Amino acid sequence: MELDDVLKILILRTLGLTQEEVAERLHRARQTVGDAEQWFIDCRQGDASALLDDYRIKRLIAREFLGIGLKDDQLIRAGQITGDDILLHYGRVLPSETGEAAADIEPVIPVSPVYVKLLTTHWRLLRQLAITFRTQLTPPGTDQLFTAEVCRRAYQARQSGVTLLSPTSWTTVIEAPLELRLSPGTARKRTVEARLPVEAEVLFPHLVAHLKAEPGGFPRFRAWKTWLGRLVEICLESAADLTQRYRDAARMYYQGDRRQRGLFFRCADYIGQFVLNHPPEAVPVFATEPQSEGL
């Protein structure tokens, strides 16, 4: 058996999977899983340490573990496993062992139980944050960028001459896990900035630091947010333009608290989604038709 196959078995077993579960995910016989573990238990300490190189473990997980049916939290925990974790799992080294107890094992510094508890809590919170981060990374769709509420707010801001977004505070405008604000600077040069709500969490910089250290890096998140802010900016400007042009073409006002009859913002919402979902040549043309009530 290849050493990488043995290492995959050791990682999954350290992760807490049973021999049957490991055999199923790796498409191996249960006996093969048991033989690999027995070989590791019986091999020399030097061979065990050579196999459990931390960089080799991370590279193997990044390359092989995405398609074997692990859950999100299991994948995150797998990415945190080190060679020491595997040695501890199989009893090859104990937390209390020193160099005097085993000459071929490096001394292990005793760890305070309080520190272990705090570190465990820290990793648990990071795992939860990573799952939240992954769900919020999905960009908004056309049904979120153009809604009746977005069109209403954009129209009212345009009519009152105020900005829909603030340069000093983050605001939720569209129906998506996304917060927006105007960038600092002069009014003419301001653009829309976007951020995910998870970025306001205290531990988020620590999570980003871990992601940047992983194989493959984390290089495009800032660029992704820049383009996302530009997309939302274009859609908000289009929503304000659409609602004004729709009102002018129909020669009617929008329904409001003081008007029982008038236009619905849902029509501008539909037009905006239609334009985004179709090629430029399919842009609709406004037309009005008199009704029997004289409207």
mmCIF file with all atom_site columns, all heavy atoms in Angstrom, residues 14 30 36 99-100 109 115-116 120 128 138 140 162 173 175 181 189 205 214 222 253 264-265 267 277:
data_model
loop_
_atom_site.group_PDB
_atom_site.id
_atom_site.type_symbol
_atom_site.label_atom_id
_atom_site.label_alt_id
_atom_site.label_comp_id
_atom_site.label_asym_id
_atom_site.label_entity_id
_atom_site.label_seq_id
_atom_site.pdbx_PDB_ins_code
_atom_site.Cartn_x
_atom_site.Cartn_y
_atom_site.Cartn_z
_atom_site.occupancy
_atom_site.B_iso_or_equiv
_atom_site.pdbx_formal_charge
_atom_site.auth_seq_id
_atom_site.auth_comp_id
_atom_site.auth_asym_id
_atom_site.auth_atom_id
_atom_site.pdbx_PDB_model_num
ATOM 1   N N   . THR A 1 14  ? -7.973  9.298  13.137  1.00 0.00 ? 14  THR A N   1
ATOM 2   C CA  . THR A 1 14  ? -7.745  10.322 14.154  1.00 0.00 ? 14  THR A CA  1
ATOM 3   C C   . THR A 1 14  ? -8.904  11.305 14.195  1.00 0.00 ? 14  THR A C   1
ATOM 4   O O   . THR A 1 14  ? -9.240  11.852 15.253  1.00 0.00 ? 14  THR A O   1
ATOM 5   C CB  . THR A 1 14  ? -6.427  11.078 13.855  1.00 0.00 ? 14  THR A CB  1
ATOM 6   O OG1 . THR A 1 14  ? -5.360  10.136 13.790  1.00 0.00 ? 14  THR A OG1 1
ATOM 7   C CG2 . THR A 1 14  ? -6.119  12.105 14.934  1.00 0.00 ? 14  THR A CG2 1
ATOM 8   N N   . ARG A 1 30  ? -12.106 -3.419 4.920   1.00 0.00 ? 30  ARG A N   1
ATOM 9   C CA  . ARG A 1 30  ? -11.873 -3.100 6.333   1.00 0.00 ? 30  ARG A CA  1
ATOM 10  C C   . ARG A 1 30  ? -10.553 -3.707 6.805   1.00 0.00 ? 30  ARG A C   1
ATOM 11  O O   . ARG A 1 30  ? -9.845  -3.118 7.625   1.00 0.00 ? 30  ARG A O   1
ATOM 12  C CB  . ARG A 1 30  ? -13.028 -3.614 7.177   1.00 0.00 ? 30  ARG A CB  1
ATOM 13  C CG  . ARG A 1 30  ? -12.851 -3.307 8.657   1.00 0.00 ? 30  ARG A CG  1
ATOM 14  C CD  . ARG A 1 30  ? -13.951 -3.900 9.509   1.00 0.00 ? 30  ARG A CD  1
ATOM 15  N NE  . ARG A 1 30  ? -13.660 -3.735 10.910  1.00 0.00 ? 30  ARG A NE  1
ATOM 16  C CZ  . ARG A 1 30  ? -14.413 -4.221 11.895  1.00 0.00 ? 30  ARG A CZ  1
ATOM 17  N NH1 . ARG A 1 30  ? -15.502 -4.921 11.594  1.00 0.00 ? 30  ARG A NH1 1
ATOM 18  N NH2 . ARG A 1 30  ? -14.072 -4.031 13.151  1.00 0.00 ? 30  ARG A NH2 1
ATOM 19  N N   . ALA A 1 36  ? -3.177  -1.304 7.859   1.00 0.00 ? 36  ALA A N   1
ATOM 20  C CA  . ALA A 1 36  ? -2.436  -0.044 7.818   1.00 0.00 ? 36  ALA A CA  1
ATOM 21  C C   . ALA A 1 36  ? -2.215  0.506  9.218   1.00 0.00 ? 36  ALA A C   1
ATOM 22  O O   . ALA A 1 36  ? -1.121  0.982  9.555   1.00 0.00 ? 36  ALA A O   1
ATOM 23  C CB  . ALA A 1 36  ? -3.192  0.971  6.960   1.00 0.00 ? 36  ALA A CB  1
ATOM 24  N N   . GLY A 1 99  ? 11.838  13.342 27.740  1.00 0.00 ? 99  GLY A N   1
ATOM 25  C CA  . GLY A 1 99  ? 12.950  12.675 27.088  1.00 0.00 ? 99  GLY A CA  1
ATOM 26  C C   . GLY A 1 99  ? 13.528  11.562 27.934  1.00 0.00 ? 99  GLY A C   1
ATOM 27  O O   . GLY A 1 99  ? 14.107  10.608 27.424  1.00 0.00 ? 99  GLY A O   1
ATOM 28  N N   . GLU A 1 100 ? 13.407  11.637 29.284  1.00 0.00 ? 100 GLU A N   1
ATOM 29  C CA  . GLU A 1 100 ? 13.937  10.589 30.140  1.00 0.00 ? 100 GLU A CA  1
ATOM 30  C C   . GLU A 1 100 ? 13.105  9.322  30.035  1.00 0.00 ? 100 GLU A C   1
ATOM 31  O O   . GLU A 1 100 ? 13.615  8.216  30.150  1.00 0.00 ? 100 GLU A O   1
ATOM 32  C CB  . GLU A 1 100 ? 13.959  11.079 31.585  1.00 0.00 ? 100 GLU A CB  1
ATOM 33  C CG  . GLU A 1 100 ? 14.912  12.260 31.788  1.00 0.00 ? 100 GLU A CG  1
ATOM 34  C CD  . GLU A 1 100 ? 14.882  12.751 33.220  1.00 0.00 ? 100 GLU A CD  1
ATOM 35  O OE1 . GLU A 1 100 ? 14.077  12.196 33.997  1.00 0.00 ? 100 GLU A OE1 1
ATOM 36  O OE2 . GLU A 1 100 ? 15.652  13.666 33.562  1.00 0.00 ? 100 GLU A OE2 1
ATOM 37  N N   . ILE A 1 109 ? 6.386   19.500 26.442  1.00 0.00 ? 109 ILE A N   1
ATOM 38  C CA  . ILE A 1 109 ? 6.188   20.466 27.522  1.00 0.00 ? 109 ILE A CA  1
ATOM 39  C C   . ILE A 1 109 ? 4.778   20.295 28.082  1.00 0.00 ? 109 ILE A C   1
ATOM 40  O O   . ILE A 1 109 ? 3.803   20.289 27.324  1.00 0.00 ? 109 ILE A O   1
ATOM 41  C CB  . ILE A 1 109 ? 6.372   21.892 26.996  1.00 0.00 ? 109 ILE A CB  1
ATOM 42  C CG1 . ILE A 1 109 ? 7.785   22.044 26.426  1.00 0.00 ? 109 ILE A CG1 1
ATOM 43  C CG2 . ILE A 1 109 ? 6.107   22.918 28.079  1.00 0.00 ? 109 ILE A CG2 1
ATOM 44  C CD1 . ILE A 1 109 ? 8.025   23.379 25.763  1.00 0.00 ? 109 ILE A CD1 1
ATOM 45  N N   . TYR A 1 115 ? -5.410  26.248 29.598  1.00 0.00 ? 115 TYR A N   1
ATOM 46  C CA  . TYR A 1 115 ? -4.996  26.651 28.252  1.00 0.00 ? 115 TYR A CA  1
ATOM 47  C C   . TYR A 1 115 ? -5.604  25.721 27.204  1.00 0.00 ? 115 TYR A C   1
ATOM 48  O O   . TYR A 1 115 ? -6.059  26.168 26.149  1.00 0.00 ? 115 TYR A O   1
ATOM 49  C CB  . TYR A 1 115 ? -3.479  26.635 28.155  1.00 0.00 ? 115 TYR A CB  1
ATOM 50  C CG  . TYR A 1 115 ? -2.958  26.943 26.770  1.00 0.00 ? 115 TYR A CG  1
ATOM 51  C CD1 . TYR A 1 115 ? -2.937  28.257 26.287  1.00 0.00 ? 115 TYR A CD1 1
ATOM 52  C CD2 . TYR A 1 115 ? -2.500  25.930 25.941  1.00 0.00 ? 115 TYR A CD2 1
ATOM 53  C CE1 . TYR A 1 115 ? -2.471  28.543 25.022  1.00 0.00 ? 115 TYR A CE1 1
ATOM 54  C CE2 . TYR A 1 115 ? -2.034  26.215 24.663  1.00 0.00 ? 115 TYR A CE2 1
ATOM 55  C CZ  . TYR A 1 115 ? -2.025  27.521 24.210  1.00 0.00 ? 115 TYR A CZ  1
ATOM 56  O OH  . TYR A 1 115 ? -1.569  27.791 22.948  1.00 0.00 ? 115 TYR A OH  1
ATOM 57  N N   . VAL A 1 116 ? -5.611  24.429 27.488  1.00 0.00 ? 116 VAL A N   1
ATOM 58  C CA  . VAL A 1 116 ? -6.204  23.457 26.560  1.00 0.00 ? 116 VAL A CA  1
ATOM 59  C C   . VAL A 1 116 ? -7.681  23.762 26.346  1.00 0.00 ? 116 VAL A C   1
ATOM 60  O O   . VAL A 1 116 ? -8.192  23.734 25.222  1.00 0.00 ? 116 VAL A O   1
ATOM 61  C CB  . VAL A 1 116 ? -6.012  22.027 27.089  1.00 0.00 ? 116 VAL A CB  1
ATOM 62  C CG1 . VAL A 1 116 ? -6.794  21.036 26.229  1.00 0.00 ? 116 VAL A CG1 1
ATOM 63  C CG2 . VAL A 1 116 ? -4.544  21.656 27.103  1.00 0.00 ? 116 VAL A CG2 1
ATOM 64  N N   . THR A 1 120 ? -9.317  24.841 22.835  1.00 0.00 ? 120 THR A N   1
ATOM 65  C CA  . THR A 1 120 ? -10.406 24.049 22.262  1.00 0.00 ? 120 THR A CA  1
ATOM 66  C C   . THR A 1 120 ? -11.589 24.943 21.904  1.00 0.00 ? 120 THR A C   1
ATOM 67  O O   . THR A 1 120 ? -12.195 24.813 20.835  1.00 0.00 ? 120 THR A O   1
ATOM 68  C CB  . THR A 1 120 ? -10.843 22.955 23.239  1.00 0.00 ? 120 THR A CB  1
ATOM 69  O OG1 . THR A 1 120 ? -9.727  22.116 23.558  1.00 0.00 ? 120 THR A OG1 1
ATOM 70  C CG2 . THR A 1 120 ? -11.955 22.116 22.641  1.00 0.00 ? 120 THR A CG2 1
ATOM 71  N N   . GLN A 1 128 ? -16.998 27.218 13.559  1.00 0.00 ? 128 GLN A N   1
ATOM 72  C CA  . GLN A 1 128 ? -18.337 27.758 13.340  1.00 0.00 ? 128 GLN A CA  1
ATOM 73  C C   . GLN A 1 128 ? -18.278 28.994 12.435  1.00 0.00 ? 128 GLN A C   1
ATOM 74  O O   . GLN A 1 128 ? -19.121 29.174 11.549  1.00 0.00 ? 128 GLN A O   1
ATOM 75  C CB  . GLN A 1 128 ? -18.973 28.117 14.685  1.00 0.00 ? 128 GLN A CB  1
ATOM 76  C CG  . GLN A 1 128 ? -19.261 26.925 15.567  1.00 0.00 ? 128 GLN A CG  1
ATOM 77  C CD  . GLN A 1 128 ? -19.741 27.322 16.951  1.00 0.00 ? 128 GLN A CD  1
ATOM 78  O OE1 . GLN A 1 128 ? -19.734 28.494 17.318  1.00 0.00 ? 128 GLN A OE1 1
ATOM 79  N NE2 . GLN A 1 128 ? -20.151 26.347 17.739  1.00 0.00 ? 128 GLN A NE2 1
ATOM 80  N N   . THR A 1 138 ? -21.711 33.278 -1.086  1.00 0.00 ? 138 THR A N   1
ATOM 81  C CA  . THR A 1 138 ? -22.529 33.163 -2.299  1.00 0.00 ? 138 THR A CA  1
ATOM 82  C C   . THR A 1 138 ? -22.972 34.551 -2.748  1.00 0.00 ? 138 THR A C   1
ATOM 83  O O   . THR A 1 138 ? -23.598 35.278 -1.980  1.00 0.00 ? 138 THR A O   1
ATOM 84  C CB  . THR A 1 138 ? -23.766 32.294 -2.037  1.00 0.00 ? 138 THR A CB  1
ATOM 85  O OG1 . THR A 1 138 ? -23.360 31.020 -1.554  1.00 0.00 ? 138 THR A OG1 1
ATOM 86  C CG2 . THR A 1 138 ? -24.572 32.121 -3.315  1.00 0.00 ? 138 THR A CG2 1
ATOM 87  N N   . PRO A 1 140 ? -25.186 37.575 -4.462  1.00 0.00 ? 140 PRO A N   1
ATOM 88  C CA  . PRO A 1 140 ? -26.644 37.712 -4.609  1.00 0.00 ? 140 PRO A CA  1
ATOM 89  C C   . PRO A 1 140 ? -27.079 37.476 -6.045  1.00 0.00 ? 140 PRO A C   1
ATOM 90  O O   . PRO A 1 140 ? -26.350 37.771 -6.994  1.00 0.00 ? 140 PRO A O   1
ATOM 91  C CB  . PRO A 1 140 ? -26.898 39.165 -4.176  1.00 0.00 ? 140 PRO A CB  1
ATOM 92  C CG  . PRO A 1 140 ? -25.593 39.864 -4.404  1.00 0.00 ? 140 PRO A CG  1
ATOM 93  C CD  . PRO A 1 140 ? -24.529 38.852 -4.137  1.00 0.00 ? 140 PRO A CD  1
ATOM 94  N N   . VAL A 1 162 ? -31.183 62.563 -1.488  1.00 0.00 ? 162 VAL A N   1
ATOM 95  C CA  . VAL A 1 162 ? -30.246 62.064 -0.485  1.00 0.00 ? 162 VAL A CA  1
ATOM 96  C C   . VAL A 1 162 ? -29.613 60.775 -0.987  1.00 0.00 ? 162 VAL A C   1
ATOM 97  O O   . VAL A 1 162 ? -30.116 60.139 -1.922  1.00 0.00 ? 162 VAL A O   1
ATOM 98  C CB  . VAL A 1 162 ? -30.950 61.817 0.868   1.00 0.00 ? 162 VAL A CB  1
ATOM 99  C CG1 . VAL A 1 162 ? -31.554 63.101 1.384   1.00 0.00 ? 162 VAL A CG1 1
ATOM 100 C CG2 . VAL A 1 162 ? -32.026 60.733 0.723   1.00 0.00 ? 162 VAL A CG2 1
ATOM 101 N N   . VAL A 1 173 ? -29.166 46.696 2.411   1.00 0.00 ? 173 VAL A N   1
ATOM 102 C CA  . VAL A 1 173 ? -30.121 47.253 1.448   1.00 0.00 ? 173 VAL A CA  1
ATOM 103 C C   . VAL A 1 173 ? -30.834 46.150 0.682   1.00 0.00 ? 173 VAL A C   1
ATOM 104 O O   . VAL A 1 173 ? -32.035 46.209 0.468   1.00 0.00 ? 173 VAL A O   1
ATOM 105 C CB  . VAL A 1 173 ? -29.401 48.206 0.474   1.00 0.00 ? 173 VAL A CB  1
ATOM 106 C CG1 . VAL A 1 173 ? -30.365 48.714 -0.602  1.00 0.00 ? 173 VAL A CG1 1
ATOM 107 C CG2 . VAL A 1 173 ? -28.813 49.385 1.233   1.00 0.00 ? 173 VAL A CG2 1
ATOM 108 N N   . GLU A 1 175 ? -31.762 41.953 -0.110  1.00 0.00 ? 175 GLU A N   1
ATOM 109 C CA  . GLU A 1 175 ? -32.122 40.775 0.676   1.00 0.00 ? 175 GLU A CA  1
ATOM 110 C C   . GLU A 1 175 ? -31.063 39.687 0.510   1.00 0.00 ? 175 GLU A C   1
ATOM 111 O O   . GLU A 1 175 ? -31.283 38.660 -0.124  1.00 0.00 ? 175 GLU A O   1
ATOM 112 C CB  . GLU A 1 175 ? -33.499 40.270 0.259   1.00 0.00 ? 175 GLU A CB  1
ATOM 113 C CG  . GLU A 1 175 ? -34.623 41.277 0.511   1.00 0.00 ? 175 GLU A CG  1
ATOM 114 C CD  . GLU A 1 175 ? -35.959 40.772 0.021   1.00 0.00 ? 175 GLU A CD  1
ATOM 115 O OE1 . GLU A 1 175 ? -36.005 39.649 -0.510  1.00 0.00 ? 175 GLU A OE1 1
ATOM 116 O OE2 . GLU A 1 175 ? -36.943 41.503 0.164   1.00 0.00 ? 175 GLU A OE2 1
ATOM 117 N N   . ARG A 1 181 ? -21.810 50.322 2.095   1.00 0.00 ? 181 ARG A N   1
ATOM 118 C CA  . ARG A 1 181 ? -21.606 51.713 2.474   1.00 0.00 ? 181 ARG A CA  1
ATOM 119 C C   . ARG A 1 181 ? -20.871 52.419 1.336   1.00 0.00 ? 181 ARG A C   1
ATOM 120 O O   . ARG A 1 181 ? -20.326 51.766 0.438   1.00 0.00 ? 181 ARG A O   1
ATOM 121 C CB  . ARG A 1 181 ? -20.818 51.837 3.775   1.00 0.00 ? 181 ARG A CB  1
ATOM 122 C CG  . ARG A 1 181 ? -19.330 51.550 3.628   1.00 0.00 ? 181 ARG A CG  1
ATOM 123 C CD  . ARG A 1 181 ? -18.594 51.813 4.917   1.00 0.00 ? 181 ARG A CD  1
ATOM 124 N NE  . ARG A 1 181 ? -17.155 51.554 4.754   1.00 0.00 ? 181 ARG A NE  1
ATOM 125 C CZ  . ARG A 1 181 ? -16.267 51.615 5.737   1.00 0.00 ? 181 ARG A CZ  1
ATOM 126 N NH1 . ARG A 1 181 ? -16.668 51.895 6.961   1.00 0.00 ? 181 ARG A NH1 1
ATOM 127 N NH2 . ARG A 1 181 ? -14.988 51.375 5.497   1.00 0.00 ? 181 ARG A NH2 1
ATOM 128 N N   . LYS A 1 189 ? -16.285 60.896 -6.279  1.00 0.00 ? 189 LYS A N   1
ATOM 129 C CA  . LYS A 1 189 ? -15.430 59.728 -6.447  1.00 0.00 ? 189 LYS A CA  1
ATOM 130 C C   . LYS A 1 189 ? -15.835 58.557 -5.553  1.00 0.00 ? 189 LYS A C   1
ATOM 131 O O   . LYS A 1 189 ? -15.162 57.545 -5.532  1.00 0.00 ? 189 LYS A O   1
ATOM 132 C CB  . LYS A 1 189 ? -13.969 60.104 -6.153  1.00 0.00 ? 189 LYS A CB  1
ATOM 133 C CG  . LYS A 1 189 ? -13.396 61.108 -7.146  1.00 0.00 ? 189 LYS A CG  1
ATOM 134 C CD  . LYS A 1 189 ? -11.928 61.400 -6.828  1.00 0.00 ? 189 LYS A CD  1
ATOM 135 C CE  . LYS A 1 189 ? -11.344 62.386 -7.835  1.00 0.00 ? 189 LYS A CE  1
ATOM 136 N NZ  . LYS A 1 189 ? -9.912  62.686 -7.542  1.00 0.00 ? 189 LYS A NZ  1
ATOM 137 N N   . PRO A 1 205 ? -10.367 38.124 11.538  1.00 0.00 ? 205 PRO A N   1
ATOM 138 C CA  . PRO A 1 205 ? -8.968  38.261 11.095  1.00 0.00 ? 205 PRO A CA  1
ATOM 139 C C   . PRO A 1 205 ? -8.131  37.016 11.360  1.00 0.00 ? 205 PRO A C   1
ATOM 140 O O   . PRO A 1 205 ? -7.244  36.678 10.569  1.00 0.00 ? 205 PRO A O   1
ATOM 141 C CB  . PRO A 1 205 ? -8.460  39.466 11.895  1.00 0.00 ? 205 PRO A CB  1
ATOM 142 C CG  . PRO A 1 205 ? -9.694  40.245 12.219  1.00 0.00 ? 205 PRO A CG  1
ATOM 143 C CD  . PRO A 1 205 ? -10.758 39.220 12.440  1.00 0.00 ? 205 PRO A CD  1
ATOM 144 N N   . GLU A 1 214 ? -3.103  28.242 4.370   1.00 0.00 ? 214 GLU A N   1
ATOM 145 C CA  . GLU A 1 214 ? -3.438  26.935 3.816   1.00 0.00 ? 214 GLU A CA  1
ATOM 146 C C   . GLU A 1 214 ? -2.909  26.810 2.384   1.00 0.00 ? 214 GLU A C   1
ATOM 147 O O   . GLU A 1 214 ? -2.699  27.808 1.708   1.00 0.00 ? 214 GLU A O   1
ATOM 148 C CB  . GLU A 1 214 ? -4.956  26.732 3.809   1.00 0.00 ? 214 GLU A CB  1
ATOM 149 C CG  . GLU A 1 214 ? -5.573  26.622 5.189   1.00 0.00 ? 214 GLU A CG  1
ATOM 150 C CD  . GLU A 1 214 ? -5.105  25.386 5.923   1.00 0.00 ? 214 GLU A CD  1
ATOM 151 O OE1 . GLU A 1 214 ? -4.936  24.339 5.272   1.00 0.00 ? 214 GLU A OE1 1
ATOM 152 O OE2 . GLU A 1 214 ? -4.892  25.463 7.141   1.00 0.00 ? 214 GLU A OE2 1
ATOM 153 N N   . ARG A 1 222 ? -10.472 40.001 -1.559  1.00 0.00 ? 222 ARG A N   1
ATOM 154 C CA  . ARG A 1 222 ? -10.597 41.457 -1.643  1.00 0.00 ? 222 ARG A CA  1
ATOM 155 C C   . ARG A 1 222 ? -11.082 41.882 -3.038  1.00 0.00 ? 222 ARG A C   1
ATOM 156 O O   . ARG A 1 222 ? -11.945 42.751 -3.166  1.00 0.00 ? 222 ARG A O   1
ATOM 157 C CB  . ARG A 1 222 ? -9.261  42.112 -1.310  1.00 0.00 ? 222 ARG A CB  1
ATOM 158 C CG  . ARG A 1 222 ? -9.331  43.643 -1.215  1.00 0.00 ? 222 ARG A CG  1
ATOM 159 C CD  . ARG A 1 222 ? -7.964  44.215 -0.888  1.00 0.00 ? 222 ARG A CD  1
ATOM 160 N NE  . ARG A 1 222 ? -7.485  43.745 0.387   1.00 0.00 ? 222 ARG A NE  1
ATOM 161 C CZ  . ARG A 1 222 ? -7.797  44.321 1.557   1.00 0.00 ? 222 ARG A CZ  1
ATOM 162 N NH1 . ARG A 1 222 ? -8.582  45.380 1.571   1.00 0.00 ? 222 ARG A NH1 1
ATOM 163 N NH2 . ARG A 1 222 ? -7.314  43.837 2.685   1.00 0.00 ? 222 ARG A NH2 1
ATOM 164 N N   . TYR A 1 253 ? -48.193 58.253 -10.869 1.00 0.00 ? 253 TYR A N   1
ATOM 165 C CA  . TYR A 1 253 ? -47.353 58.206 -9.677  1.00 0.00 ? 253 TYR A CA  1
ATOM 166 C C   . TYR A 1 253 ? -47.423 56.818 -9.049  1.00 0.00 ? 253 TYR A C   1
ATOM 167 O O   . TYR A 1 253 ? -48.351 56.043 -9.311  1.00 0.00 ? 253 TYR A O   1
ATOM 168 C CB  . TYR A 1 253 ? -47.804 59.257 -8.661  1.00 0.00 ? 253 TYR A CB  1
ATOM 169 C CG  . TYR A 1 253 ? -47.512 60.672 -9.076  1.00 0.00 ? 253 TYR A CG  1
ATOM 170 C CD1 . TYR A 1 253 ? -48.487 61.444 -9.715  1.00 0.00 ? 253 TYR A CD1 1
ATOM 171 C CD2 . TYR A 1 253 ? -46.267 61.238 -8.849  1.00 0.00 ? 253 TYR A CD2 1
ATOM 172 C CE1 . TYR A 1 253 ? -48.222 62.745 -10.106 1.00 0.00 ? 253 TYR A CE1 1
ATOM 173 C CE2 . TYR A 1 253 ? -45.983 62.542 -9.239  1.00 0.00 ? 253 TYR A CE2 1
ATOM 174 C CZ  . TYR A 1 253 ? -46.968 63.285 -9.869  1.00 0.00 ? 253 TYR A CZ  1
ATOM 175 O OH  . TYR A 1 253 ? -46.699 64.570 -10.269 1.00 0.00 ? 253 TYR A OH  1
ATOM 176 N N   . PHE A 1 264 ? -47.153 50.170 -9.278  1.00 0.00 ? 264 PHE A N   1
ATOM 177 C CA  . PHE A 1 264 ? -46.528 49.268 -8.310  1.00 0.00 ? 264 PHE A CA  1
ATOM 178 C C   . PHE A 1 264 ? -45.022 49.226 -8.556  1.00 0.00 ? 264 PHE A C   1
ATOM 179 O O   . PHE A 1 264 ? -44.569 49.195 -9.701  1.00 0.00 ? 264 PHE A O   1
ATOM 180 C CB  . PHE A 1 264 ? -47.081 47.845 -8.438  1.00 0.00 ? 264 PHE A CB  1
ATOM 181 C CG  . PHE A 1 264 ? -48.506 47.708 -8.002  1.00 0.00 ? 264 PHE A CG  1
ATOM 182 C CD1 . PHE A 1 264 ? -49.519 47.562 -8.940  1.00 0.00 ? 264 PHE A CD1 1
ATOM 183 C CD2 . PHE A 1 264 ? -48.842 47.725 -6.663  1.00 0.00 ? 264 PHE A CD2 1
ATOM 184 C CE1 . PHE A 1 264 ? -50.835 47.420 -8.558  1.00 0.00 ? 264 PHE A CE1 1
ATOM 185 C CE2 . PHE A 1 264 ? -50.154 47.591 -6.258  1.00 0.00 ? 264 PHE A CE2 1
ATOM 186 C CZ  . PHE A 1 264 ? -51.158 47.448 -7.204  1.00 0.00 ? 264 PHE A CZ  1
ATOM 187 N N   . PHE A 1 265 ? -44.235 49.188 -7.485  1.00 0.00 ? 265 PHE A N   1
ATOM 188 C CA  . PHE A 1 265 ? -42.788 49.024 -7.627  1.00 0.00 ? 265 PHE A CA  1
ATOM 189 C C   . PHE A 1 265 ? -42.434 47.626 -8.133  1.00 0.00 ? 265 PHE A C   1
ATOM 190 O O   . PHE A 1 265 ? -41.328 47.392 -8.590  1.00 0.00 ? 265 PHE A O   1
ATOM 191 C CB  . PHE A 1 265 ? -42.083 49.298 -6.300  1.00 0.00 ? 265 PHE A CB  1
ATOM 192 C CG  . PHE A 1 265 ? -42.011 50.759 -5.958  1.00 0.00 ? 265 PHE A CG  1
ATOM 193 C CD1 . PHE A 1 265 ? -42.881 51.311 -5.038  1.00 0.00 ? 265 PHE A CD1 1
ATOM 194 C CD2 . PHE A 1 265 ? -41.080 51.586 -6.575  1.00 0.00 ? 265 PHE A CD2 1
ATOM 195 C CE1 . PHE A 1 265 ? -42.817 52.658 -4.720  1.00 0.00 ? 265 PHE A CE1 1
ATOM 196 C CE2 . PHE A 1 265 ? -41.013 52.940 -6.272  1.00 0.00 ? 265 PHE A CE2 1
ATOM 197 C CZ  . PHE A 1 265 ? -41.887 53.480 -5.337  1.00 0.00 ? 265 PHE A CZ  1
ATOM 198 N N   . CYS A 1 267 ? -43.382 46.273 -10.764 1.00 0.00 ? 267 CYS A N   1
ATOM 199 C CA  . CYS A 1 267 ? -43.129 46.286 -12.212 1.00 0.00 ? 267 CYS A CA  1
ATOM 200 C C   . CYS A 1 267 ? -41.674 46.652 -12.492 1.00 0.00 ? 267 CYS A C   1
ATOM 201 O O   . CYS A 1 267 ? -41.009 46.016 -13.301 1.00 0.00 ? 267 CYS A O   1
ATOM 202 C CB  . CYS A 1 267 ? -44.064 47.271 -12.896 1.00 0.00 ? 267 CYS A CB  1
ATOM 203 S SG  . CYS A 1 267 ? -43.880 47.268 -14.696 1.00 0.00 ? 267 CYS A SG  1
ATOM 204 N N   . ASN A 1 277 ? -31.270 39.180 -16.787 1.00 0.00 ? 277 ASN A N   1
ATOM 205 C CA  . ASN A 1 277 ? -31.329 37.777 -17.207 1.00 0.00 ? 277 ASN A CA  1
ATOM 206 C C   . ASN A 1 277 ? -31.352 37.595 -18.719 1.00 0.00 ? 277 ASN A C   1
ATOM 207 O O   . ASN A 1 277 ? -31.395 36.464 -19.198 1.00 0.00 ? 277 ASN A O   1
ATOM 208 C CB  . ASN A 1 277 ? -32.559 37.093 -16.605 1.00 0.00 ? 277 ASN A CB  1
ATOM 209 C CG  . ASN A 1 277 ? -32.420 36.877 -15.114 1.00 0.00 ? 277 ASN A CG  1
ATOM 210 O OD1 . ASN A 1 277 ? -31.329 36.598 -14.631 1.00 0.00 ? 277 ASN A OD1 1
ATOM 211 N ND2 . ASN A 1 277 ? -33.512 37.004 -14.378 1.00 0.00 ? 277 ASN A ND2 1
#
